[in-house]
Amino acid sequence: MHDLRIIDVGIKDPDLLGLIAKLDAYLYALYPPEEVFGVDLDDPDLRDIHFAVAYIDGKPAGCGAIKELDGTMTELKRFYVEPEFRNRGVAGRMLRYLEDKARARGYGVIRLETGGPQFEAVAFYQKHGYAAIEPYGEYIGCPSSLCFEKRLEG
């Protein structure tokens, strides 16, 4: 693999915003608008969220975030890898990076939501130790939502 770096970024980072725009376009092609759950980046009350961007040879390759659900639990959000960088280990490294951030912040559980049409994502999360759970929070009642959880070891 070429030089892969993952760095923490602010909520208004241009590389992050570009990747999120591509993720949103992908999701809106798969789901009706009411079934796409993003993060309102303009919410002045947005806190307890940590964004990171993966770069390969200096080019933005993927992004992800963890967002606090409560004092013991966090949620994986805005997880995306550019198609040209898939199947090169970027997603796995990004996931481990964010899980390590969650552990360092004292979270014991990480949750996430995806959907059936994203069968590659479902297989990826299961491969990395995530188990299916009942929909939670804003995903309750959403027909396409599949939710997963992983307990983080110290």
Side-chain angles (χ1 to χ4, degrees):
M1 179 180 292
H2 297 276
D3 179 40
L4 172 63
R5 290 183 315 118
I6 301 172
I7 63 168
D8 300 334
V9 297
I11 200 165
K12 299 297 183 183
D13 180 84
D15 290 334
L16 173 69
L17 295 176
L19 289 163
I20 287 175
K22 291 177 181 180
L23 169 61
D24 286 344
Y26 170 71
L27 294 175
Y28 282 112
L30 291 177
Y31 303 100
E34 65 275 8
E35 294 182 22
V36 175
F37 300 93
V39 173
D40 181 0
L41 299 176
D42 294 319
D43 182 353
D45 295 325
L46 189 64
R47 58 180 176 37
D48 297 322
I49 190 163
H50 178 92
F51 286 99
V53 172
Y55 292 88
I56 291 185
D57 295 334
K59 186 174 180 184
C63 64
I66 54 170
K67 180 179 184 236
E68 182 174 285
L69 293 175
D70 63 31
T72 64
M73 196 175 308
T74 191
E75 181 177 21
L76 187 69
K77 298 288 287 180
R78 310 315 312 190
F79 196 83
Y80 175 74
V81 174
E82 286 272 42
E84 69 185 276
F85 295 112
R86 292 181 186 164
N87 300 310
R88 295 164 100 185
V90 176
R93 292 263 307 271
M94 175 69 77
L95 184 62
R96 283 188 299 279
Y97 183 87
L98 292 168
E99 288 174 348
D100 288 346
K101 290 285 179 182
R103 278 186 204 91
R105 291 177 173 206
Y107 298 113
V109 174
I110 187 167
R111 287 185 166 182
L112 64 91
E113 182 268 350
T114 189
Q118 293 173 266
F119 57 91
E120 300 98 338
V122 171
F124 171 79
Y125 293 126
Q126 290 174 329
K127 173 184 164 185
H128 286 88
Y130 286 77
I133 60 170
E134 289 296 314
Y136 61 94
E138 64 186 330
Y139 313 116
I140 295 171
C142 179
S144 65
S145 286
L146 299 175
C147 295
F148 294 86
E149 176 179 284
K150 180 177 180 178
R151 301 227 175 262
L152 300 172
E153 303 299 322

